[in-house]
Amino acid sequence: MAILPIRIMGDPVLHSPAAVVDEITDEVRTLVADMFETMDAAPGVGLAAPQVGVPLRIYVYTYQDDDGAPWRGVVINPVLWMTPPAPGSPDPDEESEGCLSFPGERFPLRRSDEVLVTGIDLDGAPVRIEVDGWRARIMQHEFDHLDGILYIDRLDDADWKTTQKIARKRGWGRPGQSWTPGVDDIDA
């Protein structure tokens, strides 16, 4: 297993739809193992294959509730259904999220509170995930990556402008920018 460099906003792989996985090969299994290791090292609660430069419809996730119960897995070729988000402005304390591809920042974003995700796992077995709350947010965030959407693309105008200023200041927003957990000094 290896910790992979995480692409930063502006890299073309992050802004293009990812391809369907046609076959689960040893290369796909290795990629998923590396994605788990990278996500854990970052640390993050999710990581999509495009974030590590691979334009495939795969993401991994992990989350631990207050009761300590772990929730961890991989979804290949996911399909997402969700209830419409509640109207109104997001609560900055309860609805802020960050992204390993825009490291070190968090912004409020309204998401659906309930989702259903289907797909397959590394054995080709069907996956069905019905979740709400923070877990639903993770599923939506990672699914967006597979469609070439970063969460900052969904922010209101004022926050989006702030992200663009941050990106210019840090030299982001162009191809080839990445950081490696445990190597680069970025507070994700």
Side-chain angles (χ1 to χ4, degrees), residues 80-157:
L80 172 75
W81 290 272
M82 61 186 173
T83 60
S89 297
D91 178 333
D93 294 326
E94 298 293 322
E95 296 177 283
S96 287
E97 62 187 75
C99 180
L100 298 176
S101 291
F102 197 83
E105 303 296 331
R106 296 183 65 79
F107 290 92
L109 178 63
R110 176 66 42 102
R111 296 265 193 192
S112 174
D113 193 51
E114 297 178 14
V115 300
L116 166 64
V117 176
T118 60
I120 59 173
D121 65 16
L122 278 176
D123 296 321
V127 171
R128 180 182 172 92
I129 303 169
E130 284 186 76
V131 289
D132 60 8
W134 191 252
R135 292 176 181 194
R137 178 175 297 275
I138 295 167
M139 295 289 111
Q140 293 167 84
H141 182 109
E142 299 311 324
F143 186 86
D144 272 354
H145 278 298
L146 305 182
D147 287 340
I149 300 168
L150 298 180
Y151 91 104
I152 61 173
D153 298 328
R154 295 192 180 277
L155 298 176
D156 68 29
D157 287 343

Side-chain angles (χ1 to χ4, degrees), residues 47-94:
L47 186 68
Q51 291 182 273
V52 293
V54 180
L56 292 175
R57 297 190 73 78
I58 302 171
Y59 65 77
V60 297
Y61 60 88
T62 189
Y63 184 68
Q64 192 167 348
D65 283 328
D66 292 337
D67 64 3
W71 181 65
R72 188 173 176 87
V74 58
V75 185
I76 299 170
N77 299 331
V79 176
L80 172 75
W81 290 272
M82 61 186 173
T83 60
S89 297
D91 178 333
D93 294 326
E94 298 293 322

Side-chain angles (χ1 to χ4, degrees), residues 27-50:
E27 290 80 16
V28 168
R29 287 182 184 89
T30 298
L31 170 64
V32 169
D34 291 347
M35 288 172 61
F36 273 116
E37 187 169 349
T38 303
M39 176 183 62
D40 292 342
V45 295
L47 186 68

